[in-house]
Amino acid sequence: MDLAVAILLVLLNLASWCTCSDSRLLVKMTLVPNASKIGGFCLDGSLPAYHLHRGFGAGARNWLLQFEGGGWCNDILSCLERAQTRRGSTLYMNKLEDFNGILSNNASLNPDFYNWNRVKLRYCDGGSFSGDAKFDNGTSVLYFRGKKIWEAIILDLLPKGLMHARKALLSGCSAGGLSSFLHCENFARILPRNTSVKCLSDAGFFMDERDVTLNHTMRNFFENLVSLQGIEENLNKNCTSFLNNPKLCMFPQYFLKYITTPFFILNTAYDVYQFHHALVPPSADTRGHWNRCKLNIASCNTRQLDILQDFRQDMLVALLSSRIYSRRGGMFINSCFAHCQSESQDTWFALDSPQIHSKTIAEAVGDWYFSRNTSKLIDCAYPCGTSCHNIVA
């Protein structure tokens, strides 16, 4: 091979790499300076932020808002620690966010929402954008102002075109998926009556389920979260007035029936986060009997698989009691061991994406939003789901 050919090959390889790099859609962060006027601060007192990529063409007046996820903090120590990370402060966040999956601007990768105005709301309050309290002991200060952050971002987006939206979709993943449940009705009230408003939760259907030692690990966690961050006043009023324990209205299964805005639930029946933290938290498995099962489903014994199947069945029963089975509701409940499927391209819409009845998640959500077809898809129980992208083997 002569020198000229060698140089040409090197240049072609570089060009190919640059094309791949340039194909990523990196969207700049926008801080919300006016948030300080209504007390909308991150845990550490920094300003909240979002990333906006403008729509175009037929989608120029349509809006998709995506809540970022990332767990919660339900005591002072964990919140102080969180305040020093990207989960509690915009100071530590990446200033560029990679938009793919449901946020992609590529029609071949996101056929129904690629040309919409797409917004990612950064998560820095640790309470699913729902708290309204403050901790100050004279030494440390923590702002539990998730509700104010939500309000500040909406106020910032309205004059940028959101107030004229023709179609709108509020979405989110994990703790952000819970935010979508919690704020769906409020989002619909904010926008004009002639706007087609719908909501979607990805991996946000957190269950009030006993763990394997019959303790209410997740319930106790959420109760402490609601108390610490002053969330109870912001929960669904129909739910809180009905239940003896209003803090339980943090769980979607108790208030979903009161959501009148069309809603789509995207969830795995064996959600890995709930499997590892709610059903079999470390406190319930101190001797590590579940360690191998958590790492590799094929290593689960018969009893462990039965417990996982019972969890799936409890989820389906909880969904059955909600409005999600109504004509306007939609769902995609697959039998994967995963968590969050809308923000990653490989699970949202790709050749090997998870499917139910030959339909991908993107197709199911699009069919539901645009009323093209009924989208209530539930996969058969594990070991169904041959198209899964499992987090565990």
Side-chain angles (χ1 to χ4, degrees):
M1 181 184 300
D2 61 33
L3 181 60
V5 173
I7 292 174
L8 178 59
L9 288 174
V10 170
L11 291 175
L12 286 173
N13 284 333
L14 286 174
S16 175
W17 179 85
C18 291
T19 300
C20 178
S21 177
D22 290 342
S23 68
R24 295 175 63 198
L25 178 59
L26 299 176
V27 181
K28 292 182 180 179
M29 174 186 285
T30 299
L31 291 174
V32 187
N34 288 335
S36 59
K37 295 180 180 179
I38 62 171
F41 299 109
C42 297
L43 282 173
D44 70 333
S46 59
L47 290 172
Y50 61 84
H51 301 253
L52 164 63
H53 191 259
R54 286 288 187 178
F56 57 93
R61 289 184 60 182
N62 300 334
W63 288 75
L64 189 158
L65 275 62
Q66 177 88 349
F67 286 113
E68 183 179 29
W72 311 270
C73 62
N74 72 340
D75 58 52
I76 296 302
L77 180 59
S78 64
C79 289
L80 285 171
E81 293 174 350
R82 187 182 179 99
Q84 302 303 312
T85 72
R86 67 186 180 92
R87 297 299 187 197
S89 172
T90 48
L91 298 178
Y92 302 103
M93 291 181 182
N94 292 330
K95 302 307 183 281
L96 295 173
E97 191 68 8
D98 192 0
F99 273 30
N100 54 48
I102 197 172
L103 296 175
S104 172
N105 67 335
N106 187 326
S108 65
L109 302 176
N110 186 25
D112 285 309
F113 307 107
Y114 72 97
N115 59 353
W116 287 31
N117 297 284
R118 287 150 290 106
V119 187
K120 185 160 190 177
L121 285 64
R122 299 307 299 269
Y123 184 34
C124 65
D125 64 279
S128 284
F129 292 85
S130 297
D132 194 6
K134 180 182 176 181
F135 169 79
D136 187 348
N137 65 357
T139 303
S140 302
V141 178
L142 287 169
Y143 295 89
F144 304 119
R145 295 288 171 77
K147 182 173 181 288
K148 296 295 184 183
I149 290 173
W150 160 248
E151 293 171 354
I153 292 176
I154 290 296
L155 288 173
D156 203 64
L157 291 173
L158 284 171
K160 294 182 178 180
L162 181 60
M163 67 172 63
H164 302 298
R166 289 176 177 167
K167 294 181 173 64
L169 177 62
L170 183 66
S171 181
C173 162
S174 190
L178 179 57
S179 301
S180 189
F181 281 116
L182 294 168
H183 290 294
C184 181
E185 294 290 83
N186 174 254
F187 186 57
R189 286 193 296 269
I190 290 169
L191 298 180
R193 289 186 177 182
N194 61 348
T195 304
S196 174
V197 181
K198 300 187 179 184
C199 304
L200 180 154
S201 171
D202 176 10
F205 196 74
F206 293 96
M207 297 279 292
D208 180 22
E209 188 86 352
R210 290 178 184 267
D211 65 31
V212 291
T213 59
L214 302 182
N215 288 317
H216 282 290
T217 298
M218 200 66 187
R219 177 185 290 189
N220 294 336
F221 184 94
F222 269 7
E223 286 177 337
N224 291 335
L225 172 65
V226 170
S227 296
L228 176 69
Q229 298 216 18
I231 294 175
E232 185 173 328
E233 288 300 311
N234 303 320
L235 297 175
N236 185 284
K237 296 296 188 291
N238 291 316
C239 180
T240 56
S241 62
F242 179 76
L243 294 183
N244 290 329
N245 182 356
K247 293 182 177 65
L248 295 183
C249 295
M250 193 74 177
F251 288 100
Q253 69 196 81
Y254 296 121
F255 68 88
L256 181 57
K257 61 185 176 182
Y258 300 116
I259 296 178
T260 58
T261 305
F263 211 104
F264 190 101
I265 295 180
L266 165 60
N267 233 94
T268 65
Y270 311 97
D271 182 86
V272 167
Y273 180 91
Q274 296 193 65
F275 172 17
H276 290 189
H277 298 278
L279 187 62
V280 193
S283 60
D285 185 34
T286 56
R287 296 188 177 183
H289 295 307
W290 283 79
N291 287 352
R292 293 180 62 202
C293 178
K294 285 183 175 182
L295 292 173
N296 186 344
I297 304 306
S299 298
C300 299
N301 60 40
T302 301
R303 176 180 170 275
Q304 290 170 333
L305 287 174
D306 286 344
I307 290 172
L308 290 169
Q309 300 296 14
D310 287 344
F311 179 82
R312 171 184 179 271
Q313 187 60 34
D314 289 347
M315 178 181 290
L316 297 182
V317 170
L319 289 171
L320 182 62
S321 64
S322 70
R323 290 176 180 266
I324 206 66
Y325 277 95
S326 70
R327 181 177 58 84
R328 300 199 302 168
M331 69 176 77
F332 190 102
I333 310 296
N334 54 3
S335 295
C336 303
F337 287 83
H339 184 68
C340 288
Q341 300 177 95
S342 64
E343 294 182 340
S344 298
Q345 196 60 56
D346 60 344
T347 49
W348 174 247
F349 191 64
L351 291 175
D352 62 343
S353 289
Q355 297 183 19
I356 302 178
H357 303 322
S358 301
K359 185 173 289 189
T360 64
I361 294 169
E363 290 168 328
V365 173
D367 284 352
W368 162 77
Y369 189 93
F370 294 98
S371 302
R372 293 190 296 246
N373 203 345
T374 302
S375 283
K376 293 179 176 64
L377 303 173
I378 300 176
D379 208 354
C380 51
Y382 175 84
C384 275
T386 56
S387 60
C388 285
H389 289 224
N390 291 329
I391 293 177
V392 292

